[in-house]
Amino acid sequence: MQNRIMITGAGSGLGREIALRWARDGWQLAMSDVNDAGLQETLKLVREAGGEGFVQRCDVRDYSQLTAFAQACEQKLGGIDIIVNNAGVASGGFFDELSLEDWDWQIAINLMGVVKGCKAFLPLLEKSKGKIINIASMAALMQGPAMSNYNVAKAGVVALSESLLVELRQQEIGVHVVCPSFFQTNLLDSFRGPTPAMKAQVGKLLESSPISASDIAEYIHDQVARGEFMILPHEQGRMAWQLKQKNPQMLYDEMANMADKMRAKAKSGKD
Ligand SMILES: NC(=O)c1ccc[n+]([C@@H]2O[C@H](COP(=O)([O-])OP(=O)(O)OC[C@H]3O[C@@H](n4cnc5c(N)ncnc54)[C@H](O)[C@@H]3O)[C@@H](O)[C@H]2O)c1
């Protein structure tokens, strides 16, 4: 029976809601984050929801912290059945404004954090014939303007997931990748970018979502049970992705118009 799940970035937002969704099924949870207070709050909520488990501070940039976390899962839970590479940060800014440090920071967390999570937990997943759930973003598929470093990191998560889907089939390890559009969480707190105006624009997009982090966790739970590889929780996202596959140029033109508007707004000093 599979009943042990590990989640990175579990101290807030989507990671917390995923923890609560699996807790309601009575799973044992291994939860990590760099936010200790957030982790303690998630643990409390998990217990109230019927789950059990432990929390461990773990920065996904540091491979040795991830291998130590995997070791703790083996010692405390006897292994792991699902890993959720969810920890992530937000960024924005036009390519000419982003520094190479902005790129390094974004790639280290949002892409290499997922690579390292998969690598550190692979031996345990081989034993359990478990599942990997990687949290990417619609940004991976749509490449919206003024967020090239985020787009590239998340596109990398999709490419990694596709690679693992193919490579790990023989070991009977399932792979899923989740591409949500914007939704309201604390993601803006981690925002890094060259201008406050860009941060305000991202804030507005987060607020605009018709669905919550809890709805998204529910959708992921359902789609993983159905064995769906590419999970797109927003209806608008599913439509946009279909459209792009049929007519990519139309989407590029749309994104270019959006970029023009954003630059014009930035020039006029409005947010
Ligand atoms: N909110 C959105 O609109 C949205 C859209 C698409 C994808 N996502 C993705 O969903 C995932 C969860 O984000 P969220 O929206 O719940 O944001 P959030 O900020 O509420 O949660 C992210 C968590 O990751 C943790 N974290 C950040 N850096 C870390 C590190 N180096 N090591 C370990 N933990 C770290 C944070 O402390 C935080 O608790 C992210 O990968 C994000 O890119 C979010």
Side-chain angles (χ1 to χ4, degrees), residues 8-16 32-35 38-39 58-62 65 85-90 105-106 108-110 114 135-139 150 154 178-190 202 205-206 209 213 216 234:
T8 66
S12 173
L14 182 59
R16 173 176 292 166
S32 68
D33 204 298
V34 288
N35 173 357
L39 270 184
C58 174
D59 186 328
V60 297
R61 284 173 288 192
D62 184 344
Q65 291 185 30
N85 290 302
N86 163 78
V89 289
W105 174 81
Q106 174 57 228
I109 300 173
N110 283 10
V114 179
I135 307 301
S137 164
M138 271 315 280
Y150 188 85
K154 292 298 189 179
V178 185
C179 297
S181 306
F182 293 103
F183 58 96
Q184 187 62 62
T185 61
N186 295 318
L187 193 63
L188 204 61
D189 294 352
S190 67
V202 174
L205 288 168
L206 295 183
S209 176
I216 292 172
H234 287 73

Side-chain angles (χ1 to χ4, degrees), residues 10 158 172:
V158 171
E172 295 175 61

Side-chain angles (χ1 to χ4, degrees), residues 35-81:
N35 173 357
D36 292 316
L39 270 184
Q40 288 304 331
E41 177 64 16
T42 303
L43 182 61
K44 183 176 141 265
L45 295 170
V46 155
R47 288 184 172 145
E48 285 167 9
E52 222 355 288
F54 72 97
V55 296
Q56 184 159 324
R57 186 185 174 82
C58 174
D59 186 328
V60 297
R61 284 173 288 192
D62 184 344
Y63 187 59
S64 67
Q65 291 185 30
L66 279 159
T67 54
F69 186 37
Q71 216 171 16
C73 289
E74 192 162 28
Q75 279 162 4
K76 295 182 183 180
L77 309 180
I80 210 78
D81 301 301

Side-chain angles (χ1 to χ4, degrees), residues 1-270:
M1 194 181 114
Q2 297 210 318
N3 65 354
R4 302 158 300 183
I5 185 168
M6 162 306 239
I7 304 159
T8 66
S12 173
L14 182 59
R16 173 176 292 166
E17 293 301 332
I18 291 173
L20 290 176
R21 182 60 193 86
W22 264 266
R24 286 200 288 278
D25 285 348
W27 279 49
Q28 297 182 75
L29 294 102
M31 296 162 285
S32 68
D33 204 298
V34 288
N35 173 357
D36 292 316
L39 270 184
Q40 288 304 331
E41 177 64 16
T42 303
L43 182 61
K44 183 176 141 265
L45 295 170
V46 155
R47 288 184 172 145
E48 285 167 9
E52 222 355 288
F54 72 97
V55 296
Q56 184 159 324
R57 186 185 174 82
C58 174
D59 186 328
V60 297
R61 284 173 288 192
D62 184 344
Y63 187 59
S64 67
Q65 291 185 30
L66 279 159
T67 54
F69 186 37
Q71 216 171 16
C73 289
E74 192 162 28
Q75 279 162 4
K76 295 182 183 180
L77 309 180
I80 210 78
D81 301 301
I82 297 185
I83 68 164
V84 188
N85 290 302
N86 163 78
V89 289
S91 58
F94 284 102
F95 184 73
D96 56 358
E97 303 163 333
L98 290 171
S99 67
L100 290 179
E101 288 73 25
D102 292 332
W103 275 88
D104 285 343
W105 174 81
Q106 174 57 228
I107 298 294
I109 300 173
N110 283 10
L111 175 55
M112 288 312 295
V114 179
V115 172
K116 289 172 184 172
C118 290
K119 199 156 179 64
F121 279 83
L122 190 59
L124 294 185
L125 293 172
E126 281 171 342
K127 281 190 202 150
S128 65
K129 301 197 186 309
K131 292 183 175 69
I132 296 170
I133 305 175
N134 290 332
I135 307 301
S137 164
M138 271 315 280
L141 309 176
M142 289 298 148
Q143 285 85 33
M147 46 195 284
S148 55
N149 55 352
Y150 188 85
N151 293 343
V152 167
K154 292 298 189 179
V157 172
V158 171
L160 170 72
S161 307
E162 288 181 326
S163 307
L164 294 180
L165 175 75
V166 172
E167 283 189 30
L168 300 180
R169 190 170 70 178
Q170 211 173 32
Q171 284 104 303
E172 295 175 61
I173 297 173
V175 181
H176 307 266
V177 65
V178 185
C179 297
S181 306
F182 293 103
F183 58 96
Q184 187 62 62
T185 61
N186 295 318
L187 193 63
L188 204 61
D189 294 352
S190 67
F191 182 90
R192 175 168 167 156
T195 65
M198 201 61 79
K199 183 172 178 177
Q201 287 197 11
V202 174
K204 278 188 188 156
L205 288 168
L206 295 183
E207 280 170 16
S208 70
S209 176
I211 58 175
S212 66
S214 154
D215 298 331
I216 292 172
E218 186 65 45
Y219 191 78
I220 295 170
H221 184 270
D222 178 65
Q223 295 294 303
V224 167
R226 285 166 191 256
E228 196 65 43
F229 166 65
M230 174 92 76
I231 300 174
L232 309 182
H234 287 73
E235 193 182 350
Q236 222 185 355
R238 293 193 287 276
M239 280 160 46
W241 178 225
Q242 270 185 7
L243 210 64
K244 183 169 175 187
Q245 285 173 301
K246 273 192 208 142
N247 188 349
Q249 190 59 51
M250 201 175 106
L251 261 292
Y252 299 144
D253 291 342
E254 180 71 21
M255 292 298 178
N257 288 339
M258 212 190 282
D260 291 346
K261 278 187 199 153
M262 286 171 79
R263 279 202 191 275
K265 252 189 189 177
K267 250 193 185 162
S268 69
K270 291 182 208 148

